[in-house]
Amino acid sequence: TKRRPATIPSMRTTNLDVLIVGGGVIGLMCGWELAGRGASVLLLERNAEVGREASWAAAGFLRHRVTTDDAYGWLSRWSHERYPTLHAELLDATGIDSGYRQRGGFELAFEAETRATLRKFHSLHVRRNVPVEWVEPEEVVRREPNVSPNTLGGTFHSDDAQIRPPRYLRALASAFEKRGGRIVTNAEVASLRFDGDRCLGVESSVGSFSAGTILLTAGCWSGGLAERAGLYLPVRPVRGQVIRMDAPPEAFQHTISAEGIYLAQRDDGAFLVGATVEEVGYERGTTDEGIAELRDGAERVSPMLARYPVTQAWSGFRPAPAKRYPYIGEFRSGLWVATAHFRVGLMLAPATGKLVADGILTGQTPVPLDDVNPERDG
């Protein structure tokens, strides 16, 4: 979704409730939630289109496995329950099909150690009432004939789903604007502007802006903006490569995770394999080694894939925290952050949007934010 900088509002003539820095799935979801509650919201995106970094590059797996009662568990459960109605609301509002499909997914083992681990998680999930089924190799192959008979079995989660990130992002951006939100692209934020301990606005490549609350959702670039303001927010980029293969339509009916890779096939036959995990800083692009790793993993799951070429490859920078949980909450007076969702940004976006909107507009959140406090790793 491209935007013209010509419609940039002036800081002197615009009374903004919230200014969002970063237009990935987290920023767009927060903006959509805030605008839906009557807030005036402006989103600044550094690229020519929103959602072109980690959100766009993701393969779109939606899986709920978290059974804890902390903030992270709430984010996972609430998002998982919300997705079917969210998809319907976005489709109704924009006419854009986000590609949400709940068809179930396998987690498979090809090593004895992995099988033992999956067995333990199966028992845990059964005790915690997570919908899960143990499947032996023969049953896996019966349901997915193109999976290798060398599998040692695994788990099947009937409520696993997938979404098509580019379409989902277009739907979110359109729905946000229909609620009165504004998006300015090619607008790189250089710094946060403070008066004492209170954040008042930002300085960007397209001018200065002020707002009642600044919301930092700039993915792995959030840490640099915080650092330039003298704040510590340890978010780093972790590159992930994904490939598309020319597999036959309807080769697979479910999503599949196995030994560190995942496979998903779309309605139109597009077949995706992801994703590498690479600590290479901000080094963009794909590599022969990364593509080979994904292809080898896919062929181990399904030897028939050896007959089909890789037709496309891409990568993105996942925003990783210092430890497991993302950073969500009020960082300083007038400054909120929602970032470092690492590999689960798409999965946790709905609940993150609700939590942030509740916190900014009411001062209350559905769950305590201690575990996701932006200063917890300081």
Side-chain angles (χ1 to χ4, degrees), residues 26 29-30 74-75 79 328 338 341 348-357:
I26 299 298
M29 183 64 73
C30 290
W74 179 86
L75 286 165
S79 292
I328 306 172
H341 289 70
L348 301 185
T352 300
K354 173 177 170 52
L355 190 155
V356 168

Side-chain angles (χ1 to χ4, degrees), residues 156-172:
F156 179 75
H157 298 257
S158 60
D159 57 354
D160 276 7
Q162 61 173 292
I163 205 161
R164 300 191 75 154
R167 298 182 185 184
Y168 178 36
L169 292 160
R170 287 198 298 273
L172 263 181

Side-chain angles (χ1 to χ4, degrees), residues 55-260:
S55 302
W56 179 88
F61 268 42
L62 301 176
R63 313 186 302 175
H64 169 54
R65 302 286 189 273
V66 185
T67 60
T68 56
D69 294 323
D70 56 10
Y72 193 69
W74 179 86
L75 286 165
S76 181
R77 283 189 298 276
W78 199 93
S79 292
H80 184 71
E81 294 168 1
R82 172 77 171 117
Y83 253 111
T85 54
L86 172 64
H87 164 68
E89 289 172 13
L90 293 176
L91 181 61
D92 182 64
T94 68
I96 300 172
D97 182 355
S98 67
Y100 177 83
R101 303 289 186 268
Q102 189 178 80
R103 294 175 178 158
F106 287 97
E107 287 198 41
L108 300 180
F110 286 84
E111 302 287 346
E113 182 178 356
T114 306
R115 177 184 164 97
T117 299
L118 289 177
R119 269 296 196 186
K120 291 178 182 177
F121 276 107
H122 171 257
S123 298
L124 172 65
H125 289 149
V126 168
R127 293 197 302 271
R128 298 290 181 87
N129 297 315
V130 174
V132 63
E133 173 188 0
W134 180 261
V135 281
E136 293 293 347
E138 298 80 6
E139 179 63 13
V140 173
V141 176
R142 187 187 72 79
R143 298 190 199 179
E144 287 286 7
N146 287 317
V147 166
S148 169
N150 294 327
T151 179
L152 301 181
T155 54
F156 179 75
H157 298 257
S158 60
D159 57 354
D160 276 7
Q162 61 173 292
I163 205 161
R164 300 191 75 154
R167 298 182 185 184
Y168 178 36
L169 292 160
R170 287 198 298 273
L172 263 181
S174 177
F176 170 54
E177 291 187 311
K178 287 178 182 295
R179 284 183 166 181
R182 286 166 293 171
I183 298 173
V184 178
T185 56
N186 293 308
E188 184 165 3
V189 172
S191 62
L192 305 170
R193 181 158 36 83
F194 281 80
D195 182 6
D197 290 332
R198 179 169 181 80
C199 187
L200 299 180
V202 303
E203 303 294 333
S204 80
S205 59
V206 293
S208 299
F209 298 92
S210 295
T213 299
I214 306 302
L215 173 58
L216 184 56
T217 62
C220 57
W221 289 272
S222 301
L225 279 170
E227 183 178 8
R228 290 195 286 277
L231 305 174
Y232 181 67
L233 189 66
V235 188
R236 71 185 190 281
V238 177
R239 188 173 70 186
Q241 299 183 53
V242 180
I243 61 173
R244 175 172 175 167
M245 298 183 70
D246 189 19
E250 300 182 358
F252 297 89
Q253 302 303 311
H254 310 90
T255 59
I256 299 173
S257 300
E259 308 289 355

Side-chain angles (χ1 to χ4, degrees), residues 323-354:
K323 298 179 182 176
R324 178 185 179 192
Y325 298 140
Y327 302 117
I328 306 172
E330 189 173 21
F331 202 12
R332 292 291 186 274
S333 177
L335 175 64
W336 272 68
V337 301
T339 189
H341 289 70
F342 194 32
R343 305 182 76 172
V344 291
L346 288 169
M347 179 64 231
L348 301 185
T352 300
K354 173 177 170 52

Side-chain angles (χ1 to χ4, degrees), residues 266-290:
R266 310 301 197 202
D267 291 348
D268 59 5
F271 186 76
L272 306 187
V273 183
T276 61
V277 180
E278 304 170 80
E279 299 275 2
V280 295
Y282 289 94
E283 183 180 332
R284 290 192 181 273
T286 60
T287 64
D288 291 342
E289 294 79 8

